[in-house]
Amino acid sequence: MATAINSDIWRDTGAAAATTPPDRLPAGRLLAFSAVALPVAAAQMPLNVYLPAILAQHYGVPLAVLGTIFLIEKIWGAIADPIIGSLSDRTRNRFGRRRTWIAAGGAVFGLSALLLFFPVWGVTPLYLGLVLFAFYLGWSMIQIPFLAWSGEISRDYNERTRVATYQLVVGSAALLLVLVLPTLVDQFRPGDGPLKLGVMGGLLLITLVPSLFLTLRAFPEPPLPEVPPQRLPFGQAVRLVASNRLLMRILASDFAVTLGQNIRGTLFVFFVSAYMGLPHWASGLFLLQFIFGISAGPIWMKIGYRLGKHRAAVTGELVQVAINLGLLFVVPGQLGLLIALTVAQGFAQGSGNLMLRSMVADVADEHRLATGEDRTALFYSVFSISMKAAMAAAVGIALPLVAWLGFDPASSTNSPDALKGLLFVFALGPALAHLVSAALVHGFPLDAAAHARIRASLDQRDATPDAHIL
C-alpha cells in the first residue's frame, strides 16, 4: 500500500539525490549518545554464556529449571519489545518520548542487575524468575527507544549509518571487556563463579549511570509529530508490520544474518576443541575475532557510503559466505588458515547487522510519508524480535543437527564421520544463512536517492501541517 501511495518516490532511484549536504554530527556527541550501548551490550555475554553455568554449579539451580526459566524470560522479552516500542511512539511529554523510557528503563535495569549479579540471599527459582522478568523489562525499556532515537537524530541516509557504526563499536568494545574479565578471574581465582559473576555485573553497574547521563544529554529529541500515532491492538500491529514489504525483507535478512552468526558461535568451542584438537585455543580465537571486530564498524561504514546500505550489506554477506566456505579447507591441528579466517571474520563481523539496522529508520520514514504516523520504535522492536528469534533458532538447529550426525561433546573419541559432520554444519550452516541474507536484501529499492525524495516530501509536509498525505 505504501509503495502505491508513494510511487513517485521510487522513480529514477539511480540518480543522485538533489539535496544539500547534511550537517555532520559531532563525533564527540555521537560517542556520548552511543554510551548506553556499553552496559546493554555488556549484559549479553553473561546472560547467554556464563550465568546459566554459574547458577547451576555454584547456586545449585537444576539445569531443567534454568532452561525453563530462561525460555520463559526470552519469550517475555520478545513480547515486551513491541509493547515498549508502541508505547514509546505514543508517549508525549516535555522530557521526551525516548528519554522518558530510557531513564525509567535504566532504573529498572540497574536494580534488577544488582539483584541478578550479586545474589547475596541465594538463588531460588522464584527469585531468579522475578529478577529476570524485571531485567528483561528494563533492557527493553532502554534498547527499543534508544534504537528508535538513533534513527531520528539524523534524517540523512548515510549519517544514519554513521550513528549505527558508533553504537556497533561501543557494543563490540563492551563485549570484548566482558570476554577479557572472566579470563583474568580464571588466572587468579580459577573456578570462582560468584567472583566471575560479580566482576561482569560490576562492569555493567559501574558504566550504567554515566552512560545514561551521556546518552540522555547528547542530543535533543526531534519535535513530536503533530498527531500521535493511534493505539494499535496486537493483531492490527502484526498486520501493519507484515504488510510492509520493505520492513519484512529487512527482518528476514537480519534473521538470516543472526542465524548464521549464532550457529558459528554455538559450535565455535566444539569445532576448535574437538575437530581441530586444540581446546586451549578456543577462548583465544574467540577473543581474537572480537578484537578485530571493533575495527570492522568504521570500515563497513565507509563501504556503505560508497556503495549504499543494501549493496554494502550484500557485499558483507558474500564476504562471510566465502570465509565460512574457507573453513572446509582447515586441517586439524594446523592453526594458520583458521587464524586467518578468524581475523577475516572479525573484520566482516556485524557488516550486515550494521546496514540493516540503519535501513529500518529509512523504512520508518517511508511509512510515515505514506500513513502520516510515526512507528519508528515499533519497527525497531520487531527488528529486535527477529534477532532474538534467530539466536534461539541457531541453538535449536545447530546442536540437534550435529548430535544427529553423531557428534558427542562429552566424548573424547568422536568418529571421523561425526567430526566431519561437525565441520559441515559449522562451515556450511553460516555460509548458507549469509547467502540467503544477501539474496533477501539484493536490489532493495530504498536507496540514498529514493530516501532523499522521501525526506524532502516529509520536510515539506512538516512545514505545512495541514497538507494531505501524499
Side-chain angles (χ1 to χ4, degrees), residues 82-152:
I83 294 174
I84 299 299
S86 181
L87 291 174
S88 176
D89 283 336
R90 294 170 53 222
T91 297
R92 302 177 74 83
N93 59 45
R94 298 177 66 180
F95 186 60
R97 59 177 176 168
R98 310 307 184 198
R99 282 195 182 96
T100 298
W101 284 94
I102 294 172
V108 176
F109 186 71
L111 178 59
S112 56
L114 182 65
L115 297 174
L116 182 62
F117 290 94
F118 300 92
V120 293
W121 299 290
V123 179
T124 65
L126 178 61
Y127 176 92
L128 180 60
L130 292 175
V131 170
L132 281 175
F133 180 90
F135 188 83
Y136 279 108
L137 175 62
W139 194 346
S140 292
M141 291 171 68
I142 296 174
Q143 178 79 343
I144 302 306
F146 174 66
L147 289 176
W149 193 4
S150 301
E152 295 167 341

Side-chain angles (χ1 to χ4, degrees), residues 389-463:
M391 292 169 66
V395 177
I397 292 172
L399 295 183
L401 185 54
V402 296
W404 179 72
L405 292 170
F407 176 71
D408 181 4
S411 174
S412 58
T413 56
N414 280 284
S415 69
D417 286 342
L419 292 176
K420 187 174 292 185
L422 173 63
L423 168 65
F424 285 159
V425 177
F426 182 71
L428 296 180
L432 180 60
H434 288 297
L435 185 61
V436 170
S437 174
L440 285 166
V441 79
H442 175 68
F444 196 79
L446 212 172
D447 61 4
H451 182 257
R453 285 187 283 275
I454 289 172
R455 283 307 325 176
S457 297
L458 284 172
D459 292 343
Q460 182 179 7
R461 192 174 69 191
D462 290 343

Side-chain angles (χ1 to χ4, degrees), residues 238-458:
V238 171
R239 288 192 295 272
L240 184 150
V241 169
S243 65
N244 191 309
R245 294 181 180 179
L246 297 182
L247 180 62
M248 292 304 296
R249 285 178 66 177
I250 293 174
L251 295 179
S253 181
D254 184 71
F255 180 91
V257 172
T258 310
L259 180 67
Q261 292 169 336
N262 282 273
I263 288 175
R264 178 185 172 90
T266 299
L267 299 178
F268 190 88
V269 173
F270 297 148
F271 177 78
V272 177
S273 301
Y275 182 81
M276 295 296 297
L278 301 167
H280 53 289
W281 274 94
S283 297
L285 287 172
F286 202 60
L287 186 62
L288 183 68
Q289 179 177 316
F290 273 91
I291 290 174
F292 284 94
I294 292 178
S295 60
I299 294 173
W300 286 101
M301 178 183 70
K302 297 293 185 182
I303 295 173
Y305 285 177
R306 181 172 294 274
L307 300 181
K309 296 175 191 177
H310 69 281
R311 295 185 187 90
V314 170
T315 302
E317 293 310 288
L318 293 180
V319 168
Q320 296 202 62
V321 170
I323 291 169
N324 283 281
L325 290 178
L327 291 167
L328 295 172
F329 301 97
V330 169
V331 178
Q334 297 184 11
L335 270 172
L337 180 57
L338 181 60
I339 290 177
L341 292 172
T342 301
V343 171
Q345 181 66 37
F347 279 123
Q349 182 173 292
S351 54
N353 307 96
L354 170 63
M355 300 302 158
L356 294 169
R357 175 183 291 187
S358 179
M359 289 162 66
V360 173
D362 302 335
V363 173
D365 282 344
E366 193 271 346
H367 176 79
R368 183 159 78 90
L369 181 62
T371 66
E373 294 190 330
D374 184 355
R375 299 287 183 185
T376 305
L378 175 62
F379 283 11
Y380 271 108
S381 71
V382 184
F383 184 78
S384 176
I385 290 174
S386 75
M387 295 179 64
K388 293 177 181 177
M391 292 169 66
V395 177
I397 292 172
L399 295 183
L401 185 54
V402 296
W404 179 72
L405 292 170
F407 176 71
D408 181 4
S411 174
S412 58
T413 56
N414 280 284
S415 69
D417 286 342
L419 292 176
K420 187 174 292 185
L422 173 63
L423 168 65
F424 285 159
V425 177
F426 182 71
L428 296 180
L432 180 60
H434 288 297
L435 185 61
V436 170
S437 174
L440 285 166
V441 79
H442 175 68
F444 196 79
L446 212 172
D447 61 4
H451 182 257
R453 285 187 283 275
I454 289 172
R455 283 307 325 176
S457 297
L458 284 172

Side-chain angles (χ1 to χ4, degrees), residues 65-234:
V65 173
L66 276 174
T68 302
I69 290 175
F70 273 88
L71 176 61
I72 293 172
E73 297 300 344
K74 284 184 180 296
I75 294 172
W76 155 240
I79 294 172
D81 284 349
I83 294 174
I84 299 299
S86 181
L87 291 174
S88 176
D89 283 336
R90 294 170 53 222
T91 297
R92 302 177 74 83
N93 59 45
R94 298 177 66 180
F95 186 60
R97 59 177 176 168
R98 310 307 184 198
R99 282 195 182 96
T100 298
W101 284 94
I102 294 172
V108 176
F109 186 71
L111 178 59
S112 56
L114 182 65
L115 297 174
L116 182 62
F117 290 94
F118 300 92
V120 293
W121 299 290
V123 179
T124 65
L126 178 61
Y127 176 92
L128 180 60
L130 292 175
V131 170
L132 281 175
F133 180 90
F135 188 83
Y136 279 108
L137 175 62
W139 194 346
S140 292
M141 291 171 68
I142 296 174
Q143 178 79 343
I144 302 306
F146 174 66
L147 289 176
W149 193 4
S150 301
E152 295 167 341
I153 61 175
S154 175
R155 299 176 298 177
D156 180 69
Y157 178 85
N158 283 325
E159 194 69 1
R160 284 174 171 172
T161 304
R162 184 165 169 255
V163 173
T165 300
Y166 273 76
Q167 294 165 22
L168 177 68
V169 170
V170 171
S172 298
L175 290 173
L176 179 61
L177 282 174
V178 173
L179 280 171
V180 169
L181 289 176
T183 304
L184 293 177
V185 170
D186 283 338
Q187 301 304 311
F188 299 100
R189 296 282 295 273
D192 193 337
L195 176 60
K196 192 180 294 184
L197 196 64
V199 167
M200 292 184 290
L203 172 66
L204 189 157
L205 291 169
I206 289 171
T207 58
L208 180 61
V209 173
S211 67
L212 281 171
F213 177 81
L214 290 171
T215 295
L216 295 176
R217 291 178 57 87
F219 291 104
E221 287 199 38
L224 290 171
E226 290 291 327
V227 180
Q230 297 178 353
R231 180 181 177 274
L232 286 178
F234 179 77

